[in-house]
Amino acid sequence: MAVSIEDVRYIAALARLRFTEAEEQRLAEQMSTMLEYVGQLQTLDTTGVPPMSHVLDLVNVMREDVVQTRISREEALRNAPDADEAYFRVPRVIE
Amino acid sequence: MTRRLENRYEPVIGLEVHCQLQTRSKAFSPDSAAFGGEPNTHVDPISLGHPGTLPVLNRQMVAYTLRMGLATHCRIAPRSVMARKHYFYPDLPKGYQISQFDQPICTDGFVEIMLEPEGDGEPVVKRIGITRIHMEEDAGKSLHDQDPYHTLLDYNRCGVPLIEIVSEPDLRSAREAYLYVQKIRQIVRYLGICDGNMEEGSLRCDANVSVRPRGQQAFGTKTEIKNMNSFRNVERAIEFEIARQIALLEAGEAVVQETRLWDANRMETRPMRSKEEAHDYRYFPDPDLVDIVVTEAELDEIRAALPEMPEQRRRRYMEDYGLPAYDAGVLTEERGVADYFEAALSALFKRTGGGDTRAQAKAVSNVVMTDVLRVLNERGLDAEALPVDPERLAGLVFLRLEDQISSTGAQDLFAAMLEDDRAPEVIARDRNLLQVSDAGALGPVVDQVLAGNPKQVQQYLEGKESVIGYFIGQVMRSFEGSPDPRLVRRLLQEKLEAARS
C-alpha cells in the first residue's frame, strides 16, 4: 500500500484530526487508491514540460491599492465561537 | 570570555529581515493596512479567512517589492508564484500563510555595508549577499497577558504586506549584523516602501547564528534567534549567542539546533518554551492566486523612478562639493536630511550666484550636521517638519559667509528662527546679532574704554600686552550689539600703539 497507517496518523496530526484505528485503516486504503490512480501520470514523459502552478491560463490578476471597509468589528466578531467586545478569544496559547 | 579565545572562532551569521510595506490596503484584501487602530477594526472576510472568499493581490505590493529588488541588485524572476505555508496558530485564521516558496520574485542580490575602520584607516566596504526577497502576509497579534484563561486576538495586522529579505551567511560579527540591518532600514526608507520602525515592528529581524573554529570550512550547528526588537538588541543578542556557543564548544558540549528568544531584560537568549515540533509546512502553489509575470518594460519603468540611493549621493557630495567622507555619510544617512541639505545648498547658490561652491557646501553641511540634526533628534522630527525651511537656512549661512554674524551669532540666530518665522536678516537685526564691522561706530567706544582705564593702559605700555583681553571685554560689554572681536582687537592695538609714540 502506498500510504501506511503511520502516514495517516502523521497527516491527521498536521491537520489536528484524530481517528479510530478502523478509520485509520480505511483512510490508508482510500488514500492509497487515490495515489495509485494519480500515479498513472508518472508514466508520462514530461521532459521539457515546465511545472504548472495553475490550471488557469491567467497571470497578474491584481487590484489597485484602495482601502475599503466592508465589515464592522461587530460583524467580524459575531461569527466567532468566543469573543469579547473587542477581541477574538481562543484557548490560551503558551508562547 | 577572553579576546584570545573568541579569536579562535569565527561567527557565521545570516539574517532574515521582514519589512511591512507602506501600502494603504492589505496584501490580498481591501481592509486598511495602517498601524494600530482599535483592535479588529481593520478586518475583512478575506483577512479573517472566511470560507469562500478570494484573495486578490495588491498591485502596489508587487511594485514596492520590485523597487527593493532593483535597489539591492537582485535578479527579478520573470515569473513568480504565491504559495501556501501551512501551520496552525491562532494569529493566522486561514491555517496557512500566503507566502512565496521555490519561485520568489527576487533572488541573488547584494547590499554593501561600511565597516568601521580599525584605527585611522578608511572605512572598508563589505558586500553582503542577498539570497532572496519574497512577498508574504503578516499574521495577527496575540495577547497572552490580558486574560488568565484565554489568548486574545487582534487581526488588524493580519494580511498586512511584508517582504522577507534573506541574506547569505556572509556576516562575521554582531557588529556587521547591526550595520547590515541599518543598511536595509536605510534602503527601505529611501525607497519609501517601509518606515523601518523596529520598536513598532514594521521592521523585524531574525538571526541564524553559528560559530566554527577559524580556518574550518564547514558551518557549525546554528541556532535561530528571534525577538530582537531594536537595532541595539540585534547586536547584543548576537553577541550573547556567539559567546554562549563558544563557551559550549570550549566545554566540549554541542550546540543544539533550536530557536531561541532574546530576553532584553535579562540580556540573554533562551530556548523557546513552546513544544518544538518538526515543521512540515506543506508548501504548494496557492490555487487562489495566479502567477506574477514581470516584463522588462515594467522593470524599466520602476528602475527609472528609483530615487538616488545613499551610496550614489554620498559619492556625489564628495566629488561635486568636496565634502569630507564623514560629512557626506552623515548627510545622506536619511533621505529627508539629504533632500533638506540639497535644497538649502541650491538656495544658497542662488543667493551667492556661484563663487566657491565647495566652501558654501561645507558651510551648509556644518549647520545641518550640528544645529539641524540636533533639533531633529531632540524633537523627533523629520527634516521637512523643521520650522527652519531650507531657504531660511540658506539665508542664515549667507549672513555667516558674509561675516555679518559671528559663529555664536549664527547659533543664536538658528535658535531664534525655530520660534520666529521671519527672514533671518530681519531676526538678526532685531536681536542685535549683526556684527558691527564699521570701525567708525566702534572708534568712540574704544576711546572711551581706554580713557576710563588709565592704569591698564599704563600696564600695556610697560609691556604687559595681555591686558588687551580686558579692554576687548570692556568694549564688547559697552557696545550695543555684537561687534566682531577681531575688529575690536585691531582697533585697540592701533590706538594703544599710537599712544606709545
Side-chain angles (χ1 to χ4, degrees):
Chain A
M1 225 170 8
V3 177
S4 68
I5 297 284
E6 282 67 41
D7 291 332
V8 171
R9 287 186 185 146
Y10 177 67
I11 296 163
L14 286 173
R16 303 291 188 271
L17 296 172
R18 197 175 291 146
F19 299 104
T20 64
E21 274 181 42
E23 285 171 324
E24 285 169 357
Q25 185 61 39
R26 197 175 72 236
L27 281 165
E29 284 163 21
Q30 289 177 345
M31 288 164 82
S32 295
T33 313
M34 285 181 229
L35 277 191
E36 276 154 29
Y37 177 70
V38 176
Q40 292 178 54
L41 290 172
Q42 304 281 17
T43 60
L44 293 174
D45 180 8
T46 55
T47 321
V49 180
M52 185 186 72
S53 48
H54 294 90
V55 289
L56 296 171
D57 192 19
L58 279 175
V59 295
N60 294 347
V61 175
M62 300 188 202
R63 41 172 267 275
E64 298 307 317
D65 183 24
V66 176
V67 176
Q68 226 184 313
T69 305
R70 303 196 294 190
I71 54 169
S72 68
R73 175 159 76 189
E74 290 62 41
E75 289 171 302
L77 295 172
R78 195 179 297 151
N79 288 318
D82 193 7
D84 62 20
E85 64 289 345
Y87 291 99
F88 290 85
R89 210 150 47 180
V90 298
R92 193 168 167 75
V93 186
I94 303 292
E95 276 271 282
Chain B
M1 177 139 345
T2 66
R3 196 84 211 133
R4 196 178 52 80
L5 188 53
E6 287 199 326
N7 279 339
R8 283 176 25 213
Y9 290 89
E10 179 179 52
V12 176
I13 304 153
L15 294 184
E16 289 165 16
V17 177
H18 286 90
C19 299
Q20 276 180 356
L21 299 177
Q22 288 176 305
T23 56
R24 292 189 200 93
S25 64
K26 290 185 180 175
F28 306 105
S29 55
D31 36 343
S32 167
F35 176 79
E38 284 296 302
N40 293 305
T41 52
H42 304 165
V43 292
D44 185 88
I46 294 174
S47 55
L48 293 176
H50 282 215
T53 54
L54 186 69
V56 185
L57 183 59
N58 185 336
R59 191 182 299 283
Q60 189 72 311
M61 178 188 197
V62 180
Y64 281 178
T65 309
L66 291 174
R67 265 192 218 175
M68 187 61 182
L70 290 175
T72 54
H73 317 278
C74 282
R75 198 185 76 81
I76 308 297
R79 188 182 190 103
S80 77
V81 177
M82 302 306 302
R84 292 185 179 181
K85 176 183 181 178
H86 298 84
Y87 63 94
F88 280 119
Y89 201 78
D91 61 9
L92 204 61
K94 294 193 297 299
Y96 59 86
Q97 179 193 30
I98 303 175
S99 181
Q100 295 196 291
F101 182 49
D102 55 353
Q103 293 180 73
I105 190 159
C106 310
T107 54
D108 302 316
F110 66 86
V111 296
E112 288 180 337
I113 58 172
M114 298 252 283
L115 304 182
E116 289 105 341
E118 300 196 5
D120 302 330
E122 279 290 298
V124 179
V125 174
K126 179 170 177 178
R127 188 171 280 201
I128 308 299
I130 288 181
T131 314
R132 59 185 282 160
I133 301 175
H134 68 250
M135 301 183 282
E136 59 186 29
E137 58 177 337
D138 209 343
K141 199 166 76 182
S142 315
L143 292 94
H144 304 288
D145 52 2
Q146 306 280 308
D147 175 332
Y149 307 109
H150 298 93
T151 292
L152 303 182
L153 285 144
D154 172 9
Y155 290 118
N156 283 353
R157 200 180 63 186
C158 192
V160 167
L162 295 176
I163 50 174
E164 178 174 333
I165 304 155
V166 182
S167 86
E168 290 288 300
D170 287 345
L171 301 156
R172 290 289 174 272
S173 68
R175 187 66 190 165
E176 287 184 16
Y178 170 87
L179 293 170
Y180 169 82
V181 186
Q182 285 280 3
K183 175 54 74 176
I184 295 291
R185 174 179 189 270
Q186 186 189 43
I187 295 172
V188 294
R189 287 176 58 89
Y190 257 77
L191 295 174
I193 62 172
C194 169
D195 67 17
N197 189 327
M198 272 196 101
E199 282 75 16
E200 282 182 3
S202 47
L203 189 149
R204 306 194 282 270
C205 170
D206 301 331
N208 288 303
V209 179
S210 66
V211 300
R212 62 184 172 192
R214 228 165 254 286
Q216 177 183 304
Q217 274 298 306
F219 292 145
T221 306
K222 69 178 178 189
T223 56
E224 187 180 4
I225 314 301
K226 288 181 178 287
N227 202 35
M228 304 175 289
N229 57 358
S230 75
F231 291 95
R232 199 52 63 193
N233 278 332
V234 170
E235 191 170 8
R236 285 189 188 133
I238 295 174
E239 216 150 64
F240 174 89
E241 185 59 17
I242 291 168
R244 188 188 72 87
Q245 292 187 12
I246 292 174
L248 278 176
L249 296 179
E250 280 296 308
E253 290 172 49
V255 173
V256 180
Q257 180 159 356
E258 62 187 352
T259 301
R260 300 176 67 88
L261 293 180
W262 169 247
D263 183 331
N265 294 321
R266 290 160 66 178
M267 296 281 278
E268 62 180 26
T269 65
R270 47 190 164 73
M272 252 172 97
R273 271 187 296 149
S274 66
K275 199 166 45 170
E276 197 56 46
E277 39 188 317
H279 286 299
D280 183 347
Y281 294 129
R282 291 151 291 150
Y283 282 101
F284 62 76
D286 191 324
D288 286 342
L289 293 153
V290 296
D291 294 355
I292 301 149
V293 169
V294 183
T295 64
E296 270 309 313
E298 282 172 283
L299 281 182
D300 285 343
E301 207 173 294
I302 292 170
R303 202 177 281 122
L306 284 183
E308 186 183 26
M309 297 308 285
E311 264 320 296
Q312 297 163 277
R313 250 184 164 168
R314 209 177 66 85
R315 235 169 285 135
R316 186 161 60 79
Y317 287 7
M318 291 167 70
E319 285 163 13
D320 294 2
Y321 305 141
L323 287 178
Y326 177 77
D327 290 43
V330 173
L331 293 173
T332 54
E333 184 62 45
E334 290 277 342
R335 183 177 169 186
V337 173
D339 288 344
Y340 182 95
F341 165 76
E342 286 186 37
L345 189 56
S346 62
L348 181 63
F349 286 166
K350 223 170 272 166
R351 277 190 104 127
T352 57
D356 187 350
T357 53
R358 290 183 166 221
Q360 291 170 36
K362 182 61 182 149
V364 176
S365 167
N366 287 346
V367 187
V368 172
M369 292 207 308
T370 53
D371 295 319
V372 171
L373 283 182
R374 178 176 44 77
V375 171
L376 293 183
N377 286 335
E378 281 171 5
R379 304 193 179 182
L381 289 178
D382 286 331
E384 64 261 25
L386 189 75
V388 180
D389 65 26
E391 285 71 28
R392 290 209 302 148
L393 190 86
L396 178 152
V397 175
F398 185 74
L399 291 176
R400 177 71 195 115
L401 285 173
E402 293 274 287
D403 239 340
Q404 295 193 47
I405 49 173
S406 66
S407 63
T408 20
Q411 279 169 17
D412 294 344
L413 179 55
F414 182 79
M417 285 163 73
L418 290 169
E419 318 302 334
D420 186 338
D421 59 8
R422 290 177 299 164
E425 296 78 5
V426 178
I427 301 173
R429 196 177 312 122
D430 257 22
R431 304 208 171 204
N432 277 330
L433 292 171
L434 293 174
Q435 299 198 102
V436 176
S437 49
D438 180 11
L442 274 170
V445 182
V446 169
D447 288 339
Q448 207 181 317
V449 166
L450 291 180
N453 296 282
K455 214 169 78 195
Q456 282 82 356
V457 171
Q458 196 54 37
Q459 286 175 344
Y460 180 92
L461 295 176
E462 283 164 6
K464 199 182 169 208
E465 292 181 2
S466 59
V467 292
I468 195 152
Y470 170 77
F471 294 129
I472 295 173
Q474 291 296 310
V475 174
M476 303 284 282
R477 212 163 306 143
S478 326
F479 195 81
E480 284 287 317
S482 343
D484 181 350
R486 285 168 304 179
L487 178 65
V488 174
R489 171 183 285 270
R490 209 189 63 211
L491 285 174
L492 280 163
Q493 273 169 339
E494 279 171 14
K495 304 248 179 197
L496 286 164
E497 291 307 318
R500 280 191 202 280
S501 47

